[in-house]
Amino acid sequence: MDEHTIARHLEDHGVRYTAARRAVVEALGSADGPRSVSELVAGLAVPQSSVYRTLAVLAAAGVVATHHGPDGVARFELAEWISGHHHHLVCTECGAVRDLVLTPEEEEHLGAVVAGAAGRARVSVEGHTLEIVHRCEECR
Amino acid sequence: MDEHTIARHLEDHGVRYTAARRAVVEALGSADGPRSVSELVAGLAVPQSSVYRTLAVLAAAGVVATHHGPDGVARFELAEWISGHHHHLVCTECGAVRDLVLTPEEEEHLGAVVAGAAGRARVSVEGHTLEIVHRCEECR
DNA sequence: TGGTATCATAAGAATGATTCTCATTCTCAA
DNA sequence: TTGAGAATGAGAATCATTCTTATGATACCA
């Protein structure tokens, strides 16, 4: 969300906040869900190879997160500390992904389920995502 | 689980249950989570191209389901009507996926969350998966 | 202000997973 | 048994992604 916070975060990680990186961050910030590289390239006067490299840099710095939908192509979004914790609504057909924010109560229930299951499986959780699968309007 | 049920299901869909398909189904049935094509090929006297084609046929017939982990490679498992409803424990690092079964109570809570969120988003749910992200033992 | 080391960019080649093609083989029903 | 349609296997083709390399920009130090 806040350009300033991101700029400082990158600076702290020794990563320059260049024009190309700014453009990618802005594109991701104004999207309503994860975006694929081809979608980004289509809307962004930045060449494909640079988009890939930029995303890799931003991911390493903890600014973007990667997601793989049912069509297998990688989609990128801002990390949750920037965009807020959320989940995904995925179309089985075309793979399009929309963000989904739960209510605090829903999130609390989900958290309890995750904690319980992870405890039983003896793993320490790093995160969780709920994917709700449906078929989007365009695909029916 | 039940070979017989699968055989009948395929027959009903006009799909032959050949030796190669049987081998793939058996390999998936005895795995503790989704398997990638390379893993299947390594343990299966069936050539790579046939594994891909077989998986596509089985997926179209509703016998296998596809999953894409954080490493972007496709992993396959038996459909939930065969293996039972379950969730996934995913390693951020290597992408390995293990099945995770919730208790009935946990599943009920999760179902309520999904129904509520889907209602708000005005979509009709086809399914849901909870992914718990962690780092597996080999990767630390 | 110039020099230099480091970082960033862009184009295209290389890789790796997946899909397609096509010639061959198998199966089943007539 | 035979013929039509289905399945197989090898390799070529495709597509997303990563790597390489040459070039350009930036920051820092004297």
Side-chain angles (χ1 to χ4, degrees):
Chain A
M1 265 294 147
D2 186 9
E3 280 291 300
H4 238 54
T5 316
I6 297 174
R8 164 151 313 157
H9 180 91
L10 289 176
E11 197 175 329
D12 291 351
H13 285 246
V15 174
R16 291 189 201 145
Y17 200 19
T18 65
R21 292 172 186 175
R22 225 171 265 274
V24 168
V25 165
E26 273 162 24
L28 294 179
S30 62
D32 69 344
R35 289 289 172 264
S36 67
V37 168
S38 58
E39 287 163 346
L40 290 172
V41 167
L44 267 193
V46 177
Q48 194 192 50
S49 62
S50 294
V51 170
Y52 273 107
R53 189 169 17 73
T54 296
L55 288 168
V57 168
L58 293 173
V63 168
V64 322
T66 307
H67 177 266
H68 286 272
D71 60 355
V73 323
R75 286 157 201 272
F76 300 85
E77 62 186 347
L78 295 183
E80 295 207 324
W81 67 267
I82 302 170
S83 63
H85 179 54
H86 62 269
H87 298 272
H88 290 141
L89 207 51
V90 183
C91 172
T92 8
E93 200 80 7
C94 66
V97 184
R98 261 169 57 205
D99 288 349
L100 180 68
V101 176
L102 300 184
T103 65
E105 299 80 49
E106 287 169 345
E107 200 60 62
E108 195 181 326
H109 288 150
L110 184 56
V113 169
V114 168
R120 239 180 301 119
R122 298 171 194 290
V123 301
S124 67
V125 182
E126 298 215 338
H128 66 266
T129 333
L130 176 63
E131 297 213 338
I132 296 185
V133 176
H134 72 135
R135 187 164 292 165
C136 74
E137 284 140 17
E138 282 99 45
C139 289
R140 50 171 99 200
Chain B
M1 263 300 144
D2 186 9
E3 279 292 300
H4 239 50
T5 318
I6 296 175
R8 165 152 313 158
H9 180 90
L10 288 176
E11 198 175 329
D12 291 350
H13 284 248
V15 174
R16 290 191 200 143
Y17 200 19
T18 65
R21 292 171 185 174
R22 228 171 262 274
V24 168
V25 165
E26 273 162 25
L28 294 179
S30 62
D32 69 344
R35 288 288 172 265
S36 67
V37 168
S38 57
E39 287 164 345
L40 291 171
V41 167
L44 267 191
V46 177
Q48 192 193 50
S49 62
S50 295
V51 171
Y52 273 108
R53 190 163 15 72
T54 297
L55 288 167
V57 167
L58 294 174
V63 168
V64 322
T66 307
H67 177 266
H68 286 272
D71 60 354
V73 323
R75 285 157 201 275
F76 301 84
E77 61 186 347
L78 296 183
E80 294 207 325
W81 67 266
I82 302 170
S83 62
H85 179 54
H86 61 269
H87 299 272
H88 290 140
L89 208 51
V90 184
C91 172
T92 8
E93 200 80 6
C94 66
V97 184
R98 260 168 57 206
D99 287 349
L100 179 68
V101 176
L102 299 185
T103 65
E105 300 79 48
E106 286 168 345
E107 200 59 66
E108 195 181 327
H109 287 150
L110 185 57
V113 168
V114 168
R120 239 179 301 118
R122 298 171 191 292
V123 300
S124 66
V125 182
E126 298 214 339
H128 68 266
T129 334
L130 177 63
E131 298 213 336
I132 296 186
V133 176
H134 72 135
R135 187 165 292 165
C136 75
E137 282 140 19
E138 282 98 45
C139 288
R140 51 171 99 197

